Amino acid sequence: MGDGSVDIRQEARARVFAQPIESLNPAQPELFRTDSHWPLFERLRAESPVHYSPPSEHYGPFWSISRYNDIMAVDTDHQAFSSADGITLPSIEAEAETNSRPTRPSFISMDPPRHDEQRKTVSPVVAPANLQRMEPLIRERAGLILDDLPIGEPFDWVDKVSMELTAMTLATLFDFPYEERRKLTYWSDMMTNAPGFGPVTSWAQKRTELDQCFAVFDDLWRERARQAPRFDLVSMLAHGEATRDMDEHEYHGNLGLLIIGGNDTTRNTISGSVYALNRFPAQYAMLRETPSLIPSMVSETIRWQTPLAHMRRTATRDVDFGGRTIREGDRVVMWYVSGNRDDTVIEDPDAYRIDRARPRMHLSFGFGIHRCVGNRLAELQLTIIWEEILRRFPVIELAGEPQRTHSIFVKGYETLPVIIPRRA
Ligand code: HEM
């Protein structure tokens, strides 16, 4: 690679191993943007698997959990580790902004019983029966996206495929006007970014744009509430027993969750699959020879990419964990990105292998009561797109290095230059 990224990673490794262990702090978006976070987690797993980071310039204090089995233990103990105070580690600045505005609660940041009631209302829309109903439409629309791609000239895979496909699926889920689907991508980017990143230029602009997003969805709610119940998400929320009386902040919170939940994650897995198959060409060749490996390739990509680097909890009481005492009120970050590379559980975890014996054994969807409600939908989308890709293009080649996302939460790609060669 002539882009200097190898040097950056080697430097990062030398720096990490020269530092006193107490000073290691994974909450550094720049590490993720430069793909140089790996040595830090390698060292934490080996030497400090339950690790305390004191307040830093941009983040408050928190615990890091970096081993696979420890993450499972925290994730499945929602009594000791609550989601109600938020599920990401916010920067100090982002937290101040959130605290100055009414909160938009959603069921991902609730504990039982409210969590369970609201999750029950939303889950049928992404359950197997409904997915089967949506499959032909998703396949048809995916085909149209692929048939439109330029051949023999470089283009950005993120923009032309990953974003289009996820926007299309979300529009189908919400029954949102199809021609305006890219607004969903735009709003998701607005929600997840801080000023200076993605489309966000200032906190004020972010507020104005999101107010517009919610005004559009308020109209949709009123429209669907007047009509008979249908099988789209807004209609289900407007008619569901547990959700029809929720106040507007809660409605907006749940909408935000569904827009982000189904957007960044799947988008970055689609991009990650093209990137990984190019980095591991023997695996790409195996996939072309054996397309029945597509579902396990999809799961392996979700592990290898880990589209959400972490989820956060808050201790509800003092807990002795891994030889350390986590105090009531402390923030605990489960680094899925690290657990998915834990070689005591996953063999040769840095390698991308599309024929693993247990490909769904990974942490990327979380565990316990909050385990991703959209996991089957995500896998379906990825499977469809790859079935349609292999039908059309023998190969998609990288035409340069990707630009990665500047975030400790969303682990993905801003751009991914590719070229589909002309057939000889
Ligand atoms: C590869 C794609 C995806 C990944 C890696 C992913 C990851 C996750 C993770 C890690 C959680 C657990 C949160 C926690 O424990 O606090 C979660 C929850 C959730 N995801 Fe996904 N997700 C993906 C796709 C989707 C899709 C397509 C949707 C749907 C439209 C979706 C909607 C949700 C929702 C609503 C929750 C909250 C569940 C709850 O709190 O009970 N996700 N997701």
Side-chain angles (χ1 to χ4, degrees), residues 125-166:
V125 81
V126 282
N130 202 35
L131 292 185
Q132 246 181 359
R133 223 179 300 192
M134 280 193 301
E135 188 190 320
L137 190 56
I138 294 180
R139 189 178 293 283
E140 185 196 316
R141 289 173 166 179
L144 292 176
I145 293 169
L146 295 174
D147 287 337
D148 230 23
L149 294 178
I151 305 291
E153 59 184 79
F155 64 92
D156 178 15
W157 182 264
V158 173
D159 181 51
K160 285 214 181 307
V161 185
S162 308
M163 283 175 148
E164 267 300 291
L165 192 79
T166 37

Side-chain angles (χ1 to χ4, degrees), residues 26 32 37-46 66 335 337-338:
F32 288 87
H37 51 289
W38 303 110
L40 189 149
F41 287 116
E42 183 189 328
R43 192 163 174 217
L44 286 187
R45 282 195 303 275
S66 52
W335 291 103
V337 65
S338 170

Side-chain angles (χ1 to χ4, degrees), residues 75 83 86-88 106-110 115-116 119 122 125-126 166 169-170 173-174 233 254 257-270 298 302 306-308 310-313 334 336 362-379 381-382 409:
D75 225 354
S83 294
I87 46 93
T88 64
S106 63
F107 65 91
I108 202 168
S109 41
M110 287 177 193
H115 161 268
D116 306 10
R119 178 174 167 122
V122 171
V125 81
V126 282
T166 37
T169 315
L170 273 183
L173 270 183
F174 286 117
L233 263 171
N254 280 311
L257 168 61
L258 292 160
I259 294 174
I260 299 171
N263 195 49
D264 278 337
T265 49
T266 319
R267 177 205 306 177
N268 288 319
T269 313
I270 297 171
V298 165
I302 294 171
T306 316
L308 297 180
H310 77 262
M311 284 285 165
R312 194 259 289 184
R313 300 290 185 256
M334 303 173 287
Y336 296 145
H362 61 69
L363 296 167
S364 299
F365 290 130
F367 267 93
I369 60 166
H370 290 281
R371 182 173 161 81
C372 179
V373 78
N375 72 81
R376 293 292 180 182
L377 172 65
E379 289 171 350
Q381 275 187 82
L382 264 294
F409 180 60

